[in-house]
Structures are given as C-alpha cells and as structure tokens.
Amino acid sequence: MTVDLFAGIAVRDYAAAVAWYQRLLGGPPSFLPNDVEAVWEVAANRYLYIEVRPERAGHAMQTLFVSDFDSRLAEIAGRGLTPADFEVYDNGVRKALFHDPDGNEIGLGGAPA
C-alpha cells in the first residue's frame, strides 16, 4: 500500500505566506494547483501546502521530523527565520517551533544531539 501525505495550512495572505514558506522550506513551491494554493514536496510523496482560507488561518500545527536537524536550522537562519521556541524532550528529541505570518505553528523535529 502506498500512502501520500498532503498536510494543509490555512492562511490569510497568499503572497506573504508563499514568501515565508519559501524561506522556511528553502525554495519555491513544487507546484501551484490554482490561485489560492501552493504546494511544497518536502519528501517523496509528502507535501505541505498552503491554501487561502481566512476563516481557518492561524490554527495549524505541523511538525517535520528531519535527519539533518542542525544543518537545516542553520540554513533556515541564513534565510532570516529563527525559531520562536525550542524544546528538548526527556528522550533528547529536539523541536524548533516557527510561526508563520498567521500564527500557524510549524515545528522542525530532530533526533537527540
């Protein structure tokens, strides 16, 4: 069985959101299905997308767990974004929390240092 994932995030301002997610994810959208959506392929068959839905904006909570946590954070910082918060769980797993312009929470998780 194959499972593809599309994780959606409601936003208010399309242009501001696309610009912010480009900085977070390191490049332009993988594809633009229409005038109110932008989609980034973050891994094979795994997608993060934004959609203009003002009534729902600001309530998303997504976490991307990456094997290159430290270098990914450094790259994101180089593009001008810094985490709003940083957590380390009892098992050593780390999580950097970012907030997009609407307040949606995008976490970046990584294995213990």
Side-chain angles (χ1 to χ4, degrees):
M1 176 175 76
T2 300
V3 176
D4 296 346
L5 175 67
F6 282 81
I9 301 167
V11 300
R12 287 180 184 84
D13 183 322
Y14 181 79
V18 168
W20 190 87
Y21 282 93
Q22 284 183 152
R23 290 171 51 202
L24 180 71
L25 300 172
S30 301
F31 61 95
L32 304 169
N34 54 54
D35 292 346
V36 297
E37 291 180 87
V39 182
W40 286 263
E41 186 171 22
V42 295
N45 302 318
R46 290 159 184 89
Y47 302 88
L48 188 67
Y49 73 95
I50 61 165
E51 181 177 358
V52 176
R53 296 183 74 178
E55 71 284 358
R56 297 190 61 179
H59 300 287
M61 293 173 30
Q62 310 287 351
T63 299
L64 305 172
F65 202 88
V66 297
S67 60
D68 59 344
F69 182 78
D70 293 313
S71 62
R72 185 82 57 115
L73 279 181
E75 290 170 7
I76 293 169
R79 294 189 292 270
L81 295 179
T82 56
D85 199 7
F86 192 88
E87 302 172 350
V88 180
Y89 298 103
D90 291 341
N91 63 359
V93 168
R94 300 166 292 161
K95 184 177 180 183
L97 297 171
F98 296 87
H99 294 111
D100 75 5
D102 288 303
N104 292 303
E105 179 183 288
I106 309 301
L108 197 66

